[in-house]
Amino acid sequence: NGVFQRLLCLFIAHSASFRSENEDNICKEPSLFKCSGSIEYQPGSVIHLLEDSERQRILVHIEEKKLARRILGIIRSMLQKLNNDVMSGGLKWNILVQGQISGNGEQSIMIEFSEAMKQSLSPWCDADENSNEINIFHSHGTDLEIFLKNL
């Protein structure tokens, strides 16, 4: 249904808007393939997106953990925009984040975002210097340029 491609395009547009506002800090060009893409969110901070069309999911890897909370908020805003503006409210999704279980050595698991919030799971719930909240920009019918500036 093109959600992955549209999400990739929104990330590229967001990266380009960062470039135009911060001429001294140029982001690298994105690397794009049929089912994946790597985009520099800001200089030195790369986000990798991978489409698993068989399972109907999009995997996101954020290299810089301190940006995880911010990027998660941006992804949620972008999905909401796609749902409102393109999918007529028909897009349904679950956000799973990586967590650790302690015990005999730590194991990585995927858990619902709402559960990660209840557990204040790092890095998804870590405070950053820009915000104490994960803000979701509600964008129904908002111009793309205005939307990107508000992320």
Side-chain angles (χ1 to χ4, degrees):
N1 57 16
V3 173
F4 174 76
Q5 291 78 9
R6 288 179 173 100
L7 187 62
L8 240 143
C9 288
L10 284 174
F11 263 111
I12 292 167
H14 187 270
S15 176
S17 70
F18 181 86
R19 266 185 259 168
S20 67
E21 292 174 9
N22 302 283
E23 294 173 12
D24 296 337
N25 297 317
I26 302 295
C27 291
K28 295 177 187 171
E29 293 294 320
S31 298
L32 304 173
F33 302 94
K34 182 178 179 183
C35 298
S36 67
S38 296
I39 300 146
E40 196 169 29
Y41 165 72
Q42 61 189 33
S45 302
V46 178
I47 301 164
H48 305 279
L49 290 97
L50 176 66
E51 179 184 36
D52 181 349
S53 55
E54 193 172 292
R55 294 185 178 164
Q56 293 188 339
R57 66 181 182 180
I58 298 170
L59 304 169
V60 179
H61 173 74
I62 303 164
E63 286 186 2
E64 199 169 331
K65 285 186 180 184
K66 71 178 186 179
L67 292 174
R69 177 185 175 111
R70 173 121 177 87
I71 303 274
L72 182 57
I74 289 170
I75 290 169
R76 291 174 68 205
S77 294
M78 288 178 174
L79 287 171
Q80 191 65 51
K81 177 155 186 63
L82 290 174
N83 192 33
N84 291 336
D85 294 359
V86 179
M87 307 300 289
S88 302
L91 181 63
K92 305 291 181 224
W93 67 90
N94 292 324
I95 295 181
L96 302 173
V97 296
Q98 187 175 12
Q100 302 288 328
I101 343 178
S102 300
N104 294 343
E106 290 198 2
Q107 276 187 311
S108 232
I109 60 166
M110 300 304 287
I111 64 171
E112 292 280 340
F113 175 66
S114 58
E115 184 61 31
M117 292 295 288
K118 288 178 195 171
Q119 295 179 24
S120 298
L121 191 65
S122 181
W124 312 106
C125 301
D126 292 347
D128 65 24
E129 62 277 358
N130 298 326
S131 172
N132 291 327
E133 302 278 333
I134 296 178
N135 295 318
I136 305 302
F137 179 64
H138 299 284
S139 61
H140 185 64
T142 303
D143 177 69
L144 182 60
E145 187 176 334
I146 293 168
F147 172 75
L148 293 172
K149 284 185 180 190
N150 282 286
L151 289 179

